[in-house]
Amino acid sequence: MTTQAFFPKVQSPIRFEGPKSKNPLAFKYYDARKKVRGKTMAEHFRFACAFWHTMKGNGADMFGPGAWTREWAAGASPMEIAEKTLRANFEFCVKMGIPFYCFHDRDIAPEGATFAESCKNLDAIVKLAKKLQKETGIKLLWGTANLFSNPRYTHGAGTNPDAHVFAYAVAQVKHAMDATKTLGGENYVFWGGREGYETLLNTNYSREQETFARFLQTAVDYKKKIGFKGQFLIEPKPKEPSKHQYDFDSATVLGFLRAHGLYEHFKINVEANHATLAGHTFEHELTVAAAEGKLGSIDANTGDLMLGWDTDQFPTNLYSAASAMMVVLESGGLGTGGFNFDSKCRRGSMDSLDLFYAHIGGMDTFARGLLVADRMLSNKAYDKFVTNRYASWTNGVGSAILKGKMDAVALEKWVLKNGEPKLTSGRQEMLEILFNDSL
Amino acid sequence: MTTQAFFPKVQSPIRFEGPKSKNPLAFKYYDARKKVRGKTMAEHFRFACAFWHTMKGNGADMFGPGAWTREWAAGASPMEIAEKTLRANFEFCVKMGIPFYCFHDRDIAPEGATFAESCKNLDAIVKLAKKLQKETGIKLLWGTANLFSNPRYTHGAGTNPDAHVFAYAVAQVKHAMDATKTLGGENYVFWGGREGYETLLNTNYSREQETFARFLQTAVDYKKKIGFKGQFLIEPKPKEPSKHQYDFDSATVLGFLRAHGLYEHFKINVEANHATLAGHTFEHELTVAAAEGKLGSIDANTGDLMLGWDTDQFPTNLYSAASAMMVVLESGGLGTGGFNFDSKCRRGSMDSLDLFYAHIGGMDTFARGLLVADRMLSNKAYDKFVTNRYASWTNGVGSAILKGKMDAVALEKWVLKNGEPKLTSGRQEMLEILFNDSL
Amino acid sequence: MTTQAFFPKVQSPIRFEGPKSKNPLAFKYYDARKKVRGKTMAEHFRFACAFWHTMKGNGADMFGPGAWTREWAAGASPMEIAEKTLRANFEFCVKMGIPFYCFHDRDIAPEGATFAESCKNLDAIVKLAKKLQKETGIKLLWGTANLFSNPRYTHGAGTNPDAHVFAYAVAQVKHAMDATKTLGGENYVFWGGREGYETLLNTNYSREQETFARFLQTAVDYKKKIGFKGQFLIEPKPKEPSKHQYDFDSATVLGFLRAHGLYEHFKINVEANHATLAGHTFEHELTVAAAEGKLGSIDANTGDLMLGWDTDQFPTNLYSAASAMMVVLESGGLGTGGFNFDSKCRRGSMDSLDLFYAHIGGMDTFARGLLVADRMLSNKAYDKFVTNRYASWTNGVGSAILKGKMDAVALEKWVLKNGEPKLTSGRQEMLEILFNDSL
Amino acid sequence: MTTQAFFPKVQSPIRFEGPKSKNPLAFKYYDARKKVRGKTMAEHFRFACAFWHTMKGNGADMFGPGAWTREWAAGASPMEIAEKTLRANFEFCVKMGIPFYCFHDRDIAPEGATFAESCKNLDAIVKLAKKLQKETGIKLLWGTANLFSNPRYTHGAGTNPDAHVFAYAVAQVKHAMDATKTLGGENYVFWGGREGYETLLNTNYSREQETFARFLQTAVDYKKKIGFKGQFLIEPKPKEPSKHQYDFDSATVLGFLRAHGLYEHFKINVEANHATLAGHTFEHELTVAAAEGKLGSIDANTGDLMLGWDTDQFPTNLYSAASAMMVVLESGGLGTGGFNFDSKCRRGSMDSLDLFYAHIGGMDTFARGLLVADRMLSNKAYDKFVTNRYASWTNGVGSAILKGKMDAVALEKWVLKNGEPKLTSGRQEMLEILFNDSL
């Protein structure tokens, strides 16, 4: 594979050793080949490494610059660093047993002095990535364009008040989509990092909604033109960096797509931490997307509910993972999507070994979550309770209502005849016990 | 008017006395006849008294029962109390100079032992209300059905797992809509107080979305059947009492309506406190609704951003009021809607005189907000700044983009030729000064 | 025991049946006699039933009145109902195997028309409680006075602007303390439900701080006078019902006690839901109190971190329970305190059977939490990591610093000689795996 | 003054032109010489420029690097840049008419390869600063040490698990205190940016509390040793960057100081945005500090209550400013403290002119706040209401209670004789109108 070993402390791929292992560099639950409901764990999850956090992350925050020293982050030129970082990425994925990776264009290749130079840089790196993909078998889950870091995007990309910036953003998306296609990317993601506003005082909301739709339509058209077969995904986030982001949550995005004739072209990439910043649970956002067949992929991480910003922590909570996996299992899986660890180690986890611990923890958490979800969904007492709860809709007046046969007048008559409904318990506390019993 | 004076401390209607008045029982800014942009303040606002808070409120909270003694709340029977309360409402509106009121069916008339008895009670009160409306000239802004207080609605009304409850809810809506029509109500409101879930563990989300749409469709059909001409309004709220409420915010509601073929039949009733509970500013929610021509009416109150529940305080913040009025003015006003004070005095404001202070404060706040908004929108420096900010969309490449004439390939070429966009300041701090200067 | 069976669906006390039991009316983890670290589970927890929620709760919320029908809540007079409710309490505790209960004076006995009558009512009920305690062996963990429900306390009790209310509150506390002493209560709790403010505009903060201290001092004096040996506890809460409550969190309370010479007389009663409303984790609040030897007792419940009010849900989260038990174990236990289920079923859990499910779930959760905490604290890899992390303080420069032997000048010299410290990982992600592995 | 003009668009100092001026580069309310309650506005406020935001800020956030180009930020070496930046600071202060500035050691001088080199850099810059102070008359409000940006402080400074880091932090504080003394700084600030924890799993809370106290004591000792007369200030913040910061809020800090014998040596530096992150209003935090005579200085900024991080926006809200000024006026002013604009322009405000707009807006906001506060406190109706509200404490039973003459037994007797207190309104809504009338 790669000639240089950036992770010498991990000599061989992480192995599954089962729950009794004391080896911190082993999986205790994630067994890639283990089958659950007819699919292997590898097939269920299609885990991906997030290039920006895992390879480019340095522990910086708003109160301090980078705190981590990475061997691959040093070099004579930006392109040399980019090449080393790319090699480190593949080494990491191979050693972790993670079959996919995801990137922004500007993560994998440095921005040049001009757009043309940026494109040239990207093309060179894509060439190397293609080679490394082939050598390692690691695949691209999705690509995307970074339309938020460069100062030109300060006031937005597809929603910028300046059409010049819009044009630039489309050009960048075009090139990033080309790169994604070249690398066989199975999806292409739109995260509108600065598509929103800081203050309504300087914002023409209607105009920005209009240009945003136009921006997405242009991407849809180009996708068709080049025959890119990957799934388009929109990733909602309610705020940060903008005060308000237009892709607030799944419901908002789906409504927007419907309003602008874009509905059929996109699915949702749900991120756990973005869900909670919007005041929703992770499983809520998954449920909203799945209910319309629009659950496309998952950014697997977690926030801290006591903190009001995107902490992007590695997922370790079994309740959240199991609740998520119940939705994923019931919706039939993610299709071309996967579980991308859009997660970063805490600033204090300075050692590159921490990257392994963190990913192992995340993968084991989801593997356990899958097993718990399977147990819950296989629990007949649980299934029976929920089915019975909605039984009134499958016949009698409920069925007639759903068929549109009972208007208000008919229903009033029915009520005058049938009187008060019976009060029944929703059994929340009992169901929470069932859930805990499955852990 | 009414024979009994429930508010003897206020002998005559509240008058406009201007900003220099020291009389706490006078308007200092709200002058019903004063014209702003061609309409009187009375026409701009169409203020309404919220029957439930102002007449039925008693200062109760989760940690203590009612703390206020109201003369109209005592009587030999529920119906006698209901009649006295109704009379008090009209006396209050007349003395306040508030031209409208709003009610839930169960506020104005007591629930009976059976649905039939409840209807009978309501009909009797509606008859009296019609008489009092005629006597006083006070009109009904909107009516609605209380589908959340009675235990039968614990698990929802239109989204109840039990079709029997659904039927009951429709019957109740039918009767409340009849009452609203009889009283010449100009709108009818749907607030889905328990249309949501407590836990996804016992919830069939897709089924509840389906029945919710069916519920609204049934109301739409009945409206047509009886020829009710009032505007249907949905009032979003993200949570409380439910953990999650389906009508989370304006964007969610508009998306839901679109998805279920209900879009043309409803507008939005935006409540300030509900907006902030959803993580939005009041003006954001107004902007979202107004951008689609769907801003129907306003529940004027405020929350406390430090507190996580619906405090329903009287609005006194000029920033919020002025920001709201900018949206209202720019969207051409509320049409058949109005400003309903869905606000309650604090538990410690035990005196019925506090009701007057509170409404005066609210009305003066919005009157000042209107004047500030008018000044801002008339400020040429402000207008010029925002117009210039978006000027690139009115010709050249911006115009071509909006007309769909620039695809990704063309835009890339354009960028290669035109290079980097210019960085320009959004001038947020300067605009905030302009706003302050208008106060 | 009691002659009437209010819980006929539960014929015999809930039993421990182990993790494999499918019986929802059995403990799967809570085994009262099982020893952990030398103490039985019964000794570790000293679980208590909260009279107000479990016996007096009716599912009411701000959007609907009581939704539950309880046989014991009906009767010919308030005192008859009080007696039935008390009997139901003891039946419930016996059937649950919960050895303690807690009450407010106004929960167990109705408020009368005068203070004298209220006292008479309380005395009568206390007499019956004493008899029932003796018959059943159920004991009183703590008593308290309800100083927040009656309208007289709207503006506070010990912090009321009116000295008359202060006097009333002291008189009520005196009588409640007498009752607690009579019943052998092991603690007495102060929760300042309305000791705070709604607006600083009408508040003399310094004066209220002064009267609050005087209020507590008066209670301390009376305790001494009557020779009551129970522990005094203050229960922090940051807000609700008041906008700001003076007993914001543990740190605030401890600071207040220190400032007013009351420190030695009080410990803290930590409530999980109050912790999270203050922006802290449950284990944080426990840690703050325990660090000063002030962890007195626990109100065991949980909030919903997506909701901004006191939901008082039954605790079911193993992470939270295990984290809490780590603090409790390390601090040597709660002494005369215990785990009081200040928790209520959701409004939709209408059946009295739900009370059993809920308490079983709560007790099993804490039992599992204890086992997890024991495993974590017994994990040598964990212990070694934390010990090593602070090893520098036990000798060399660290030890000298702690002994006060290194002033700033000496430390500067030391740094000039010793250079940069080594960067070491805090290993957060690895520790979170260890924690998950203990679940 | 300075030979180079970094702000050529502003040729002369900003002048007061009064409320009718349309000049955006003029004060409309801040008139340095205007007297309010016997003191000039300049004396009331003692405004300061925050070196880190105003001079070093570049618009960077977590989603993008610096977006602003500043002429002073370019140079051949770090020291040349530092000199230019310092000169720009003095030019800015002079042109703004801001009489003070504040700095962290690492803002004004670059960190060197060794501690010795860092000290040398600082000393050189301090020398220049002293000269520029003399030339311009601009003074140092406070200095402080940056103990959070360098990776060595990742796990804390005074609370670091490694005593080596503690030593380093003390050495740095010593040198920063020397610099502050040299420059005649009137205060010295401690903001514990990483004094807290990320996870309790790896934290010895008691040990960190102990070393934190030792850290502050060492500074107190050194202050005495060198005869530094400035006021020591602690600046509370609840979270960010740490998950939990030990100096959570004013009450926590004051309690900590009391517990560790440090109380007399420190006052509080209240920051508005930190207050709201802790769940408090700005005026609450000011009130808590002022009630103990511990209000030392103010970091004037504002957060966005919809956002969960420290946005450090320039203050423009008159309600907040007026509420704050009421506390400041009633507490007799800030003494050696002042109003430091710990505020930054939004990323989109790229122009250095925006720095002027922003500071003008902030100064005018506080000037108006002062005028409003003066009107409120001079309003006899307001004063009378609050005085009457607490009148019961000045004689009769209230006075006896405060003198400790009424024990619980005596109060019970008094209550039995005097019966129920009278219910009186707190008049919150009316007071809010009075407040609005003062705007």
Side-chain angles (χ1 to χ4, degrees), chain C residues 111 113 115-116 119 150-152 154-155 158-168 170-171 174-175 197-208 210-211 214 218 222 225 239 243-244 248-249 251-252 255 258-259 278-281 283-284 287-288 291-292 326 376 382 385-386 389-394 397-398 401-404 406-409 411-412 414-416 418-428 431-432 435, chain D residues 111 113 115-116 119 150-152 154-155 158-168 170-171 174-175 197-208 210-211 214 218 222 225 239 243-244 248-249 251-252 255 258-259 278-281 283-284 287-288 291-292 326 376 382 385-386 389-394 397-398 401-404 406-409 411-412 414-416 418-428 431-432 435:
Chain C
E111 184 139 21
F115 181 70
C119 291
N150 189 288
R152 85 176 68 87
T154 295
H155 301 296
T159 63
N160 201 292
D162 182 356
H164 192 142
V165 180
F166 179 103
Y168 209 108
V170 170
K174 174 187 171 295
H175 213 82
Y197 62 78
E198 289 302 312
T199 172
L200 282 169
L201 281 177
N202 67 12
T203 302
N204 184 332
Y205 176 85
S206 298
R207 169 53 48 99
E208 297 202 3
E210 182 189 6
T211 59
R214 169 56 46 198
T218 307
Y222 186 66
K225 181 185 187 99
K239 51 191 163 191
K243 173 192 167 47
H244 175 85
F248 191 84
D249 58 9
T252 303
R258 272 204 172 85
H280 303 307
T281 59
E283 55 269 27
H284 171 83
T287 299
V288 169
E292 303 192 22
M326 285 176 70
M376 271 301 275
Y382 173 60
F385 176 81
V386 179
R389 196 166 185 241
Y390 291 88
S392 69
W393 292 102
T394 51
V397 70
I401 289 167
L402 288 179
K403 286 174 190 152
M406 298 291 284
D407 68 5
V409 175
L411 285 169
E412 186 183 37
W414 190 92
V415 165
L416 287 167
N418 288 276
E420 280 293 327
K422 202 176 145 238
L423 298 182
T424 38
S425 171
R427 292 277 187 248
Q428 179 166 340
L431 296 171
E432 287 169 347
F435 198 83
Chain D
E111 186 139 21
F115 180 70
C119 291
N150 190 289
R152 84 176 69 87
T154 295
H155 301 296
T159 63
N160 201 291
D162 182 356
H164 193 141
V165 180
F166 178 104
Y168 210 109
V170 170
K174 172 187 172 295
H175 213 83
Y197 61 79
E198 289 303 310
T199 172
L200 282 170
L201 282 175
N202 69 12
T203 303
N204 184 332
Y205 176 86
S206 299
R207 168 53 47 99
E208 297 202 1
E210 182 189 5
T211 59
R214 169 56 46 198
T218 307
Y222 186 67
K225 182 188 187 97
K239 52 191 164 191
K243 174 195 166 44
H244 174 86
F248 192 85
D249 58 9
T252 303
R258 272 205 171 84
H280 304 306
T281 59
E283 57 268 28
H284 171 84
T287 298
V288 170
E292 304 192 21
M326 284 175 70
M376 270 303 274
Y382 173 60
F385 176 81
V386 178
R389 196 167 185 241
Y390 290 89
S392 68
W393 291 102
T394 52
V397 69
I401 289 167
L402 287 180
K403 286 174 188 152
M406 298 291 284
D407 70 4
V409 175
L411 285 168
E412 187 185 35
W414 190 91
V415 166
L416 285 167
N418 289 277
E420 281 292 330
K422 200 175 148 243
L423 298 182
T424 36
S425 171
R427 294 274 187 249
Q428 179 166 341
L431 296 171
E432 288 169 346
F435 199 84

Side-chain angles (χ1 to χ4, degrees), chain B residues 389-437:
Chain B
R389 198 169 184 240
Y390 290 89
S392 69
W393 292 102
T394 51
N395 47 46
V397 70
S399 171
I401 289 167
L402 289 180
K403 286 174 188 153
K405 294 182 180 169
M406 298 290 283
D407 69 4
V409 176
L411 285 168
E412 187 184 35
K413 268 185 211 158
W414 190 90
V415 165
L416 285 168
K417 185 177 156 198
N418 289 276
E420 281 292 329
K422 202 177 146 235
L423 297 182
T424 37
S425 171
R427 293 276 188 249
Q428 179 166 340
E429 294 78 8
M430 189 200 71
L431 295 173
E432 288 169 347
I433 297 176
L434 283 191
F435 198 83
N436 259 5
D437 287 349

Side-chain angles (χ1 to χ4, degrees), chain B residues 69-383:
Chain B
T69 306
R70 302 297 196 209
E71 205 186 334
W72 60 82
S77 72
M79 280 301 283
E80 186 190 323
I81 293 170
E83 287 184 23
K84 288 169 72 178
T85 308
L86 193 71
R87 289 182 189 278
N89 172 64
F90 283 91
E91 181 186 342
F92 182 77
C93 289
V94 168
K95 287 188 171 172
M96 274 304 308
I98 290 183
F100 291 94
Y101 72 114
C102 300
F103 66 73
H104 300 85
D105 50 0
R106 299 302 177 245
D107 301 330
I108 57 169
E111 186 140 20
T114 62
F115 181 70
E117 190 181 318
S118 299
C119 292
K120 202 181 125 200
N121 289 348
L122 183 56
D123 294 344
I125 291 294
V126 164
K127 199 173 164 188
L128 176 60
K130 195 164 183 180
K131 177 170 167 285
L132 294 172
Q133 285 187 194
K134 202 173 169 190
E135 285 175 24
T136 60
I138 306 299
K139 295 190 284 183
L140 179 63
L141 187 65
W142 49 261
T144 188
N146 177 328
L147 304 177
F148 47 89
S149 292
N150 190 287
R152 85 174 69 86
Y153 295 121
T154 296
H155 301 297
T159 63
N160 201 291
D162 183 356
H164 192 142
V165 180
F166 178 104
Y168 209 109
V170 171
Q172 196 176 326
V173 166
K174 173 187 171 293
H175 213 83
M177 212 191 303
D178 290 340
T180 302
K181 181 167 181 267
T182 298
L183 294 173
E186 304 194 15
N187 307 270
Y188 184 90
V189 164
F190 294 82
W191 174 60
R194 298 197 197 264
E195 313 293 18
Y197 62 79
E198 289 303 312
T199 172
L200 282 170
L201 282 175
N202 68 11
T203 302
N204 184 332
Y205 175 86
S206 298
R207 170 52 50 98
E208 297 201 3
Q209 292 282 300
E210 182 189 4
T211 59
F212 197 20
R214 170 58 45 199
F215 172 75
L216 295 175
Q217 184 63 54
T218 308
V220 166
D221 294 344
Y222 185 67
K223 180 188 175 191
K224 193 174 170 188
K225 183 187 186 97
I226 63 171
F228 174 53
K229 301 295 179 200
Q231 174 66 49
F232 270 11
L233 301 168
I234 292 186
E235 179 176 324
K237 189 179 184 188
K239 51 191 165 191
E240 197 203 25
S242 303
K243 173 195 167 42
H244 175 85
Q245 310 225 164
Y246 294 136
D247 295 329
F248 191 84
D249 58 8
S250 296
T252 303
V253 168
L254 293 170
F256 176 84
L257 293 172
R258 274 206 171 82
H260 294 278
L262 294 159
Y263 188 74
E264 65 181 302
H265 303 293
F266 292 85
K267 288 189 174 180
I268 306 287
N269 184 39
V270 173
E271 174 171 329
N273 202 156
H274 294 179
T276 53
L277 285 172
H280 303 306
T281 59
F282 182 24
E283 56 269 27
H284 171 83
E285 280 292 271
L286 295 170
T287 298
V288 170
E292 305 192 20
K294 289 292 190 185
L295 176 52
S297 198
I298 284 173
D299 265 20
N301 62 15
T302 190
D304 182 321
L305 293 177
M306 296 290 167
L307 304 180
W309 64 93
D310 203 14
T311 62
D312 278 352
Q313 292 174 247
F314 275 88
T316 59
N317 190 293
L318 293 179
Y319 290 95
S320 178
S323 301
M325 292 315 297
M326 284 175 70
V327 183
V328 171
L329 285 180
E330 290 198 290
S331 69
L334 297 180
T336 63
F339 286 73
N340 170 47
F341 284 114
D342 189 4
S343 311
K344 59 184 177 188
C345 286
R346 300 303 85 200
R347 178 176 169 87
S349 301
M350 296 158 165
D351 192 337
S352 64
L353 210 49
D354 290 313
L355 293 174
F356 285 88
Y357 293 139
H359 282 82
I360 290 169
M363 291 163 80
D364 267 351
T365 296
F366 270 98
R368 276 176 96 170
L370 172 63
L371 298 172
V372 173
D374 178 42
R375 279 195 287 273
M376 270 302 273
L377 295 176
S378 307
N379 183 329
K380 277 171 194 156
Y382 173 59
D383 184 61

Side-chain angles (χ1 to χ4, degrees), chain D residues 7-259:
Chain D
F7 303 98
K9 290 182 199 164
V10 179
Q11 284 300 343
S12 54
I14 305 298
R15 275 196 302 259
F16 170 73
E17 298 185 359
K20 289 181 183 167
S21 167
K22 297 286 178 197
N23 177 5
L25 288 171
F27 295 118
K28 301 188 186 66
Y29 296 91
Y30 179 70
D31 178 359
R33 289 160 306 180
K34 181 183 173 76
K35 284 203 172 182
V36 177
R37 302 198 159 216
K39 278 162 61 176
T40 64
M41 282 194 171
E43 288 163 345
H44 275 290
F45 292 116
R46 297 162 55 86
F47 285 119
C49 171
F51 201 92
W52 53 100
H53 281 320
T54 299
M55 294 301 130
K56 302 287 285 184
N58 60 11
D61 62 24
M62 286 301 288
F63 295 84
W68 307 340
T69 306
R70 304 297 198 208
E71 205 185 335
W72 60 83
S77 72
M79 280 301 283
E80 186 192 322
I81 294 171
E83 287 185 23
K84 286 168 73 178
T85 308
L86 192 70
R87 288 182 190 278
N89 171 64
F90 283 91
E91 182 188 341
F92 182 78
C93 289
V94 167
K95 286 188 171 173
M96 274 303 309
I98 290 182
F100 291 94
Y101 72 114
C102 301
F103 66 72
H104 300 85
D105 50 359
R106 298 303 177 244
D107 301 330
I108 56 168
E111 186 139 21
T114 63
F115 180 70
E117 191 183 317
S118 299
C119 291
K120 200 180 127 201
N121 289 347
L122 183 57
D123 294 345
I125 292 294
V126 163
K127 199 172 164 190
L128 176 60
K130 193 164 185 180
K131 177 171 166 286
L132 294 172
Q133 285 187 193
K134 200 171 171 191
E135 283 174 24
T136 60
I138 306 298
K139 295 190 285 183
L140 179 63
L141 187 65
W142 49 260
T144 188
N146 177 327
L147 304 177
F148 48 89
S149 291
N150 190 289
R152 84 176 69 87
Y153 295 122
T154 295
H155 301 296
T159 63
N160 201 291
D162 182 356
H164 193 141
V165 180
F166 178 104
Y168 210 109
V170 170
Q172 196 176 327
V173 166
K174 172 187 172 295
H175 213 83
M177 212 190 304
D178 290 341
T180 303
K181 180 167 183 267
T182 300
L183 294 173
E186 304 193 16
N187 308 271
Y188 183 89
V189 164
F190 294 82
W191 174 60
R194 298 197 197 264
E195 313 293 17
Y197 61 79
E198 289 303 310
T199 172
L200 282 170
L201 282 175
N202 69 12
T203 303
N204 184 332
Y205 176 86
S206 299
R207 168 53 47 99
E208 297 202 1
Q209 293 283 300
E210 182 189 5
T211 59
F212 198 20
R214 169 56 46 198
F215 172 76
L216 295 175
Q217 184 62 53
T218 307
V220 166
D221 295 343
Y222 186 67
K223 181 188 175 191
K224 192 174 170 189
K225 182 188 187 97
I226 63 171
F228 174 53
K229 300 296 179 203
Q231 175 66 49
F232 269 10
L233 300 168
I234 291 186
E235 179 176 323
K237 190 179 184 188
K239 52 191 164 191
E240 198 204 22
S242 303
K243 174 195 166 44
H244 174 86
Q245 309 224 165
Y246 294 137
D247 295 329
F248 192 85
D249 58 9
S250 295
T252 303
V253 168
L254 293 170
F256 176 85
L257 293 172
R258 272 205 171 84

